[in-house]
Amino acid sequence: VILVSGPHGAFPPPFLDMSASSAEVMAYEEAAEAGEMQLHTTFMFVIVASCSLVMIFYFMSAMSVLITVLFSFISSLALGALVYPYVDRYTDHRFSREIDVAYLGPMPMLVFVMAPVCILTVVTWLLTKSWILNNILAFSLIIFFLTSVRLSSLKVASSLLTLAFFYDIFWVFISSSIFGKNVMVTVATGLNVPIKILVPLMLAHGKSMQFTLIGLGDIVLPGLLLCFALRLDDTKGIDKKSGYFAATMLGYCVGLTMCEVIVGTLHVAQPAMIYLVPGTLIPLVLVANSRGEIRNVWEGIKSHHRLEDEIPHP
């Protein structure tokens, strides 16, 4: 569900009025452009992620409280953003009337109807630590991120994923020789916040449930490339079942399967990105090369333009 639904964050929210004169579509385009990742942003992303990892590693107890509060707040927003369009549609816009709120400006009534439900969901997760609620909140965070950030060129995507490739290798394989412990595994298993998808092991021994986990980064970062591939198919009018998206999705599934098989066989932590980066980038590049579009895909999708509009026709 995540692999199919997540990349659709590349498109406008459901039920959005996409007519050319719509104020909604203009606001959406402005927000999308503001969230577009640039080449220099990819370096900052990895630097900030590394610094955060080290801080959490050394100050786990103190940072755990701060991160729990932060993720609880963001998870409430993400869950609300995920279900808001559907609730608004199926209540026939009965709660669309806006109310002026001090310091925040006009806000739809539906926000105040949904806020208690989203907060209650997060509080229930905090009290029970239910793996099902963890996955619901994690799924909401994935969709929230994919709708807030986007890649618009293979150049930026290659930079981000290549940096993530070496980031994963360093913090999983090399960090223990410098910090005394595997920093990535220590942080991932020590923080009980929805930054990972928990998958129950069906054949596990013992009475208590055992889980394998997939970090959100292993879904979100390749997910950004999948969003880009889906937008490529859309801008060029390619069937998503046989274009860039299908090839990249297949590569993701193969890469993730290889990672899980090796982890299950060797029982050693593996940086998933060493499988997912080549598994997603290589198929996309091969499709672009076979279609003679590698230069256009490298430069990417320009705002408010389709790729074919950039290509001179004979």
Side-chain angles (χ1 to χ4, degrees), residues 18-19 43 47 59 64-66 69 99 101 108 110 120 178 185 189 231 247 249 269 271 286 296 311:
M18 292 303 293
S19 59
F43 290 91
I47 292 171
F59 307 103
S64 179
V65 175
L66 176 62
V69 172
I99 302 173
V101 181
L110 185 57
L120 180 62
I178 299 174
V185 173
T189 56
R231 290 173 60 220
M249 177 66 77
L286 290 176
N296 297 95
I311 304 173

Side-chain angles (χ1 to χ4, degrees), residues 38-251:
Q38 305 297 327
L39 191 60
H40 68 274
T41 316
T42 62
F43 290 91
M44 290 302 300
F45 179 85
V46 174
I47 292 171
V48 170
S50 297
C51 293
S52 302
L53 205 60
V54 172
M55 287 185 64
I56 297 169
F57 177 74
Y58 280 116
F59 307 103
M60 179 72 76
S61 56
M63 293 294 291
S64 179
V65 175
L66 176 62
I67 291 173
T68 299
V69 172
L70 181 63
F71 267 88
S72 297
F73 175 70
I74 297 174
S75 297
S76 300
L77 295 178
L79 183 60
L82 177 65
V83 301
Y84 182 95
Y86 301 97
V87 176
D88 188 39
R89 174 64 177 266
Y90 295 122
T91 55
D92 200 23
H93 311 290
R94 291 190 184 92
F95 304 98
S96 295
R97 186 170 64 86
E98 294 185 337
I99 302 173
D100 283 323
V101 181
Y103 305 109
L104 297 177
M107 299 184 70
M109 286 181 60
L110 185 57
V111 170
F112 301 97
V113 175
M114 291 181 55
V117 178
C118 295
I119 293 171
L120 180 62
T121 303
V122 173
V123 169
T124 304
W125 165 76
L126 283 169
L127 295 175
T128 63
K129 298 300 182 182
S130 164
W131 68 271
I132 296 175
L133 289 178
N134 175 93
N135 289 353
I136 291 172
L137 296 178
F139 177 74
S140 302
L141 288 169
I142 292 168
I143 302 300
F144 185 72
F145 193 90
L146 293 180
T147 54
S148 303
V149 180
R150 74 179 185 183
L151 303 173
S152 289
S153 72
L154 181 58
K155 176 169 58 179
V156 176
S158 299
S159 173
L160 176 65
L161 292 177
T162 302
L163 289 169
F165 178 87
F166 290 108
Y167 167 92
D168 244 18
I169 289 176
F170 176 82
W171 290 113
V172 173
F173 287 141
I174 303 174
S175 63
S176 57
S177 62
I178 299 174
F179 297 91
K181 289 183 180 179
N182 187 316
V183 175
M184 182 73 79
V185 173
T186 301
V187 171
T189 56
L191 284 179
N192 198 354
V193 291
I195 57 172
K196 49 190 177 283
I197 297 290
L198 298 174
V199 182
L201 295 175
M202 299 301 179
L203 302 178
H205 300 288
K207 295 181 179 180
S208 60
M209 291 188 69
Q210 298 180 31
F211 299 89
T212 184
L213 61 88
I214 305 172
L216 292 200
D218 299 331
I219 300 174
V220 167
L221 296 182
L224 290 173
L225 184 65
L226 285 165
C227 287
F228 174 59
L230 197 59
R231 290 173 60 220
L232 281 173
D233 287 342
D234 181 62
T235 55
K236 296 192 68 63
I238 304 170
D239 184 356
K240 69 177 182 180
K241 294 181 180 179
S242 58
Y244 290 98
F245 178 76
T248 309
M249 177 66 77
L250 178 62

